[in-house]
Amino acid sequence: MKLITAIVNKEDSRAVCHDLLKQKFYVTRLSTTGGFLMAGNMTLLICTEDERVDECIGVISNCCKQRTEIVPGTATMGLGIESAMPMQVTVGGATIMVTNVERFEKL
């Protein structure tokens, strides 16, 4: 058994969960916040058989695409003057970690 931990953008999370459930993967969702943009994420916990790991990652990959967005940023111009300058950042995609599970029970 493997535990797949996937951190996905909140905007992508609904489609990801829908497709994972459709493919008979059981998902636990946790609302999380990213550190850099302080934007909403969803951390998904998926426990599955070893031979289905690539299938699960494929489902996540199909739903989570990277895209660029313009977000407000701040820049210091010296002398304590700050200006809000928009920044272009890449959001979306997924961060996926796969770990071994020694024991799994569904009670």
Side-chain angles (χ1 to χ4, degrees):
M1 294 291 286
K2 301 288 187 192
L3 173 65
I4 300 170
T5 305
I7 303 167
V8 301
N9 187 283
K10 196 166 234 163
E11 292 176 20
D12 298 329
S13 66
R14 182 179 211 125
V16 173
C17 290
H18 177 267
D19 286 1
L20 286 170
L21 291 172
K22 199 163 129 181
Q23 295 298 319
K24 305 287 189 230
F25 290 102
Y26 297 102
V27 182
T28 299
R29 300 176 299 168
L30 305 170
S31 291
T32 53
T33 303
F36 175 63
L37 295 175
M38 299 304 287
N41 292 325
M42 189 70 68
T43 298
L44 308 176
L45 303 175
I46 308 145
C47 200
T48 189
E49 298 82 16
D50 293 7
E51 58 272 3
R52 293 196 70 199
V53 169
D54 290 334
E55 179 186 353
C56 182
I57 291 173
V59 171
I60 296 167
S61 176
N62 287 337
C63 296
C64 298
K65 302 296 181 196
Q66 288 188 341
R67 54 200 172 272
T68 56
E69 289 183 2
I70 305 295
V71 297
T74 57
T76 303
M77 297 182 191
L79 304 172
I81 300 172
E82 291 186 6
S83 171
M85 298 177 60
M87 299 183 331
Q88 185 174 3
V89 296
T90 302
V91 298
T95 301
I96 300 172
M97 296 155 278
V98 180
T99 53
N100 291 320
V101 173
E102 187 174 318
R103 181 174 172 174
F104 174 79
E105 291 184 36
K106 188 167 182 164
L107 305 174

